[in-house]
Amino acid sequence: MVKIPENKRNVPSLFVCQDGTEVKTAKEWVDKRRPEILEMLRREEYGRLPDMSDVKVDIHVTAVRQGEKIMNGRAVRKTVEVEAVRRDRHFIFTFDVFIPANAEKPVPAFVEICNRGSMNCDPARELLSSFYPAETIISRGYACAAFRTHEVAPDYEEGFRTGFHRLFPEYADNRAGDDWGTITVWAWAASRVMDYFETEPMIDEKRVAVVGHSRGGKTSLWCGAQDERFAMAVSSCSGNSGDAISRGKTGESIRQILDRFPFWFAKNYQKYVDHEEEMPFDQHMLVALMAPRLVYTSTKSNDSWADPASEFESLVQADPVYQLLGVKGLSQWERPYPEQSLHEGHIGHHHKTGEHTMDDYDWDLYMDYADKHL
């Protein structure tokens, strides 16, 4: 029997379909409710990609390096180029993949959506950052790749004319209400990394996690919701419009995020400014779209803008879907104390003392959780 938590924030039910019928079986969730929630988030919040039928995507390795200069011989580094062509327009972004050099069979992997500068995910590894501790990831037996969001689509308002957007000049300064926002493009790019992983013999594409922080965390959840090839989605401090319930949220509101970053989202999202109670969705639905796959969120005690209480509440409200699908979701519905991780179920979580960032502590726990479940 599915246990339902108290609905303290009056969020929409995960189990009542738009036609008023109630979901009672796993099949009804998979066949009816899940698709309509996914469509609702495309239409109302993140936007949908344009028709990609005339876009040719070519993914190829441009360089392979191995030796003492590549993590002291512990890794093989491959540089991969993704080229998208539509009519006479070209768009290219690259990413680097590190694979343990001593791997004897395909290994699990992490894809990081790097929304910070190259110093935080330096492919040459001359600049080391705990935001993307590739050396530690390799030492734990995982492969890893990171792409830089600014190479895919700019993180500022530019009329949707550059990066990926330039493939579709007819949409420049002319997006309709449900057309894509930049988060949707970044999610598309993460899926192209997965396309490559499916061709890489030393990576087990069935055991891949997509990881992001802040806006990257919003993207990782949205990517995982749409692309069911990802076995796990990890979201660090994604807050508003990410892993935090909007109803009753403190810190950043929908109005505030859309004042600063309207281009991240579909234009339809604007109608919910100061009208969160009227939304037919909330962010627990985004988390629930991962079920029964693994989802992991992390929060920080001093990150009041993201609001850790609202971030955890989305996990609590999403938990019944995992129960319906026959797996353990969240191991407890009470918020854990800082430095107390919840690793038992298919919904993982930890809350750390600190500021709005992603660091070595977080990565160690992501990998501990992956060791256990992935």
Side-chain angles (χ1 to χ4, degrees):
M1 181 177 178
V2 174
K3 295 181 179 179
I4 305 296
E6 181 183 356
N7 191 353
K8 301 175 183 178
R9 307 283 186 97
N10 194 32
V11 297
S13 173
L14 285 162
F15 295 143
V16 177
C17 298
Q18 291 176 325
D19 63 5
T21 58
E22 185 175 353
V23 171
K24 296 182 179 180
T25 68
K27 187 176 190 308
E28 289 171 341
W29 167 264
V30 172
D31 292 348
K32 184 175 182 180
R33 185 55 170 155
R34 187 185 190 280
E36 72 178 23
I37 289 174
L38 185 59
E39 169 60 20
M40 183 162 47
L41 293 181
R42 282 197 179 109
R43 184 182 66 245
E44 301 295 322
E45 186 170 7
Y46 301 107
R48 67 183 80 251
L49 284 171
D51 180 5
M52 302 288 286
S53 61
D54 60 348
V55 177
K56 179 183 178 183
V57 178
D58 179 47
I59 303 173
H60 53 274
V61 176
T62 61
V64 178
R65 299 177 178 85
Q66 185 175 4
E68 285 302 311
K69 292 185 177 180
I70 309 297
M71 296 187 185
N72 296 315
R74 294 187 294 117
V76 177
R77 172 186 164 190
K78 297 188 178 185
T79 302
V80 182
E81 181 177 274
V82 179
E83 180 180 26
V85 181
R86 179 176 184 252
R87 301 172 188 172
D88 61 342
R89 292 174 174 265
H90 294 243
F91 161 69
I92 293 173
F93 77 94
T94 63
F95 59 90
D96 285 85
V97 182
F98 293 99
I99 302 170
N102 62 353
E104 297 179 354
K105 60 182 181 179
V107 298
F110 289 94
V111 176
E112 174 161 337
I113 300 165
C114 183
N115 57 295
R116 294 184 175 180
S118 58
M119 68 180 64
N120 287 283
C121 55
D122 177 22
R125 310 310 297 162
E126 294 178 0
L127 300 172
L128 303 182
S129 168
S130 61
F131 191 75
Y132 177 53
E135 286 77 9
T136 303
I137 298 171
I138 288 294
S139 72
R140 295 278 298 258
Y142 294 88
C144 57
F147 72 90
R148 293 159 291 282
T149 55
H150 66 271
E151 289 188 16
V152 175
D155 199 2
Y156 57 86
E157 184 66 78
E158 41 68 67
F160 282 66
R161 297 175 180 275
T162 62
F164 170 91
H165 308 317
R166 71 183 305 274
L167 294 175
F168 301 92
E170 65 269 32
Y171 288 92
D173 297 314
N174 190 35
R175 285 191 303 146
D178 65 345
D179 287 337
W180 75 99
T182 304
I183 285 175
T184 291
V185 178
W186 294 336
W188 171 85
S191 287
R192 304 293 71 77
V193 180
M194 175 60 92
D195 288 347
Y196 170 73
F197 280 5
E198 289 187 318
T199 70
E200 170 53 61
M202 291 310 298
I203 290 179
D204 183 351
E205 74 277 7
K206 302 297 184 184
R207 295 187 291 156
V208 177
V210 57
V211 182
H213 167 72
S214 194
R215 64 203 67 183
K218 306 180 208 300
T219 305
S220 67
L221 291 173
W222 183 226
C223 173
Q226 298 177 94
D227 191 340
E228 295 184 70
R229 294 176 299 173
F230 285 99
M232 177 175 167
V234 179
S235 171
S236 162
C237 304
S238 61
N240 187 279
S241 307
D243 65 349
I245 294 289
S246 294
R247 289 165 167 83
K249 185 183 181 300
T250 61
E252 187 177 34
S253 65
I254 291 177
R255 169 179 288 280
Q256 289 166 320
I257 201 169
L258 289 179
D259 280 348
R260 299 175 66 200
F261 308 108
F263 54 91
W264 286 354
F265 305 98
K267 287 187 175 181
N268 281 342
Y269 201 33
Q270 295 278 351
K271 63 189 176 186
Y272 300 113
V273 170
D274 299 329
H275 296 284
E276 286 87 351
E277 294 296 329
E278 298 175 13
M279 296 192 306
F281 60 93
D282 214 316
Q283 297 310 115
H284 64 307
M285 292 183 169
L286 178 63
V287 175
L289 290 176
M290 284 299 300
R293 293 168 294 145
L294 303 169
V295 62
Y296 193 105
T297 70
S298 60
T299 60
K300 297 296 171 68
S301 60
N302 298 335
D303 194 2
S304 59
W305 195 238
D307 184 6
S310 292
E311 290 175 310
F312 189 74
E313 183 64 19
S314 70
L315 307 184
V316 173
Q317 296 299 325
D319 180 69
V321 175
Y322 282 81
Q323 297 179 50
L324 182 70
L325 297 181
V327 298
K328 184 172 184 175
L330 197 60
S331 57
Q332 64 182 55
W333 289 350
E334 298 78 28
R335 278 184 66 199
Y337 291 109
E339 287 71 61
Q340 179 189 13
S341 58
L342 305 181
H343 281 188
E344 295 306 312
H346 281 223
I347 302 176
H349 177 77
H350 73 258
H351 180 54
K352 176 181 180 286
T353 304
E355 310 296 331
H356 181 81
T357 191
M358 183 168 69
D359 54 29
D360 286 323
Y361 178 91
D362 300 309
W363 272 102
D364 283 341
L365 288 182
Y366 300 158
M367 287 184 281
D368 287 348
Y369 184 77
D371 288 348
K372 186 178 183 69
H373 296 282
L374 192 59

